[in-house]
mmCIF file of all heavy atoms in Angstrom:
data_model
loop_
_atom_site.group_PDB
_atom_site.id
_atom_site.type_symbol
_atom_site.label_atom_id
_atom_site.label_comp_id
_atom_site.label_asym_id
_atom_site.label_seq_id
_atom_site.Cartn_x
_atom_site.Cartn_y
_atom_site.Cartn_z
ATOM 1 N N ALA A 568 11.560 -13.328 8.710
ATOM 2 C CA ALA A 568 10.452 -12.938 9.579
ATOM 3 C C ALA A 568 9.533 -11.912 8.933
ATOM 4 O O ALA A 568 8.439 -11.656 9.441
ATOM 5 C CB ALA A 568 10.990 -12.409 10.906
ATOM 6 N N LEU A 569 9.934 -11.318 7.813
ATOM 7 C CA LEU A 569 9.055 -10.345 7.149
ATOM 8 C C LEU A 569 7.704 -10.965 6.818
ATOM 9 O O LEU A 569 6.678 -10.286 6.879
ATOM 10 C CB LEU A 569 9.701 -9.817 5.857
ATOM 11 C CG LEU A 569 10.957 -8.942 6.002
ATOM 12 C CD1 LEU A 569 11.457 -8.536 4.620
ATOM 13 C CD2 LEU A 569 10.680 -7.710 6.849
ATOM 14 N N THR A 570 7.711 -12.267 6.457
ATOM 15 C CA THR A 570 6.442 -12.908 6.080
ATOM 16 C C THR A 570 5.493 -13.048 7.272
ATOM 17 O O THR A 570 4.327 -13.390 7.083
ATOM 18 C CB THR A 570 6.660 -14.321 5.487
ATOM 19 O OG1 THR A 570 7.268 -15.142 6.479
ATOM 20 C CG2 THR A 570 7.523 -14.271 4.250
ATOM 21 N N CYS A 571 6.003 -12.822 8.482
ATOM 22 C CA CYS A 571 5.168 -12.935 9.692
ATOM 23 C C CYS A 571 4.745 -11.570 10.206
ATOM 24 O O CYS A 571 4.130 -11.477 11.269
ATOM 25 C CB CYS A 571 5.933 -13.651 10.800
ATOM 26 S SG CYS A 571 6.636 -15.192 10.249
ATOM 27 N N LEU A 572 5.097 -10.514 9.496
ATOM 28 C CA LEU A 572 4.742 -9.163 9.943
ATOM 29 C C LEU A 572 3.489 -8.699 9.213
ATOM 30 O O LEU A 572 3.459 -8.694 7.979
ATOM 31 C CB LEU A 572 5.882 -8.186 9.671
ATOM 32 C CG LEU A 572 7.200 -8.454 10.404
ATOM 33 C CD1 LEU A 572 8.225 -7.395 10.028
ATOM 34 C CD2 LEU A 572 6.982 -8.499 11.911
ATOM 35 N N ILE A 573 2.488 -8.308 9.976
ATOM 36 C CA ILE A 573 1.248 -7.818 9.374
ATOM 37 C C ILE A 573 1.556 -6.617 8.478
ATOM 38 O O ILE A 573 1.064 -6.527 7.353
ATOM 39 C CB ILE A 573 0.231 -7.421 10.470
ATOM 40 C CG1 ILE A 573 -0.172 -8.651 11.284
ATOM 41 C CG2 ILE A 573 -1.000 -6.756 9.865
ATOM 42 C CD1 ILE A 573 -0.956 -8.311 12.552
ATOM 43 N N GLY A 574 2.404 -5.705 8.970
ATOM 44 C CA GLY A 574 2.729 -4.502 8.208
ATOM 45 C C GLY A 574 3.330 -4.844 6.853
ATOM 46 O O GLY A 574 2.905 -4.312 5.826
ATOM 47 N N TYR A 575 4.308 -5.746 6.856
ATOM 48 C CA TYR A 575 4.968 -6.105 5.597
ATOM 49 C C TYR A 575 4.008 -6.828 4.670
ATOM 50 O O TYR A 575 3.932 -6.537 3.466
ATOM 51 C CB TYR A 575 6.204 -6.975 5.861
ATOM 52 C CG TYR A 575 6.917 -7.333 4.587
ATOM 53 C CD1 TYR A 575 7.697 -6.391 3.926
ATOM 54 C CD2 TYR A 575 6.780 -8.590 4.008
ATOM 55 C CE1 TYR A 575 8.331 -6.696 2.732
ATOM 56 C CE2 TYR A 575 7.410 -8.902 2.811
ATOM 57 C CZ TYR A 575 8.182 -7.951 2.175
ATOM 58 O OH TYR A 575 8.797 -8.239 0.984
ATOM 59 N N MET A 576 3.244 -7.770 5.190
ATOM 60 C CA MET A 576 2.342 -8.550 4.330
ATOM 61 C C MET A 576 1.179 -7.711 3.801
ATOM 62 O O MET A 576 0.677 -7.957 2.700
ATOM 63 C CB MET A 576 1.852 -9.805 5.056
ATOM 64 C CG MET A 576 2.931 -10.862 5.235
ATOM 65 S SD MET A 576 3.853 -11.289 3.702
ATOM 66 C CE MET A 576 2.505 -11.759 2.605
ATOM 67 N N LEU A 577 0.755 -6.712 4.581
ATOM 68 C CA LEU A 577 -0.256 -5.775 4.076
ATOM 69 C C LEU A 577 0.265 -5.094 2.807
ATOM 70 O O LEU A 577 -0.461 -4.945 1.823
ATOM 71 C CB LEU A 577 -0.521 -4.669 5.100
ATOM 72 C CG LEU A 577 -1.685 -4.780 6.053
ATOM 73 C CD1 LEU A 577 -1.684 -3.566 6.977
ATOM 74 C CD2 LEU A 577 -3.025 -4.906 5.347
ATOM 75 N N ARG A 578 1.528 -4.674 2.872
ATOM 76 C CA ARG A 578 2.108 -3.970 1.735
ATOM 77 C C ARG A 578 2.248 -4.902 0.527
ATOM 78 O O ARG A 578 1.930 -4.513 -0.600
ATOM 79 C CB ARG A 578 3.468 -3.393 2.139
ATOM 80 C CG ARG A 578 4.181 -2.627 1.054
ATOM 81 C CD ARG A 578 3.436 -1.374 0.642
ATOM 82 N NE ARG A 578 4.219 -0.543 -0.267
ATOM 83 C CZ ARG A 578 3.693 0.306 -1.137
ATOM 84 N NH1 ARG A 578 2.383 0.445 -1.222
ATOM 85 N NH2 ARG A 578 4.452 1.020 -1.911
#
Side-chain angles (χ1 to χ4, degrees):
Chain A
L569 292 179
T570 62
C571 309
L572 297 180
I573 296 169
Y575 181 75
M576 289 310 304
L577 264 178
R578 180 65 172 155

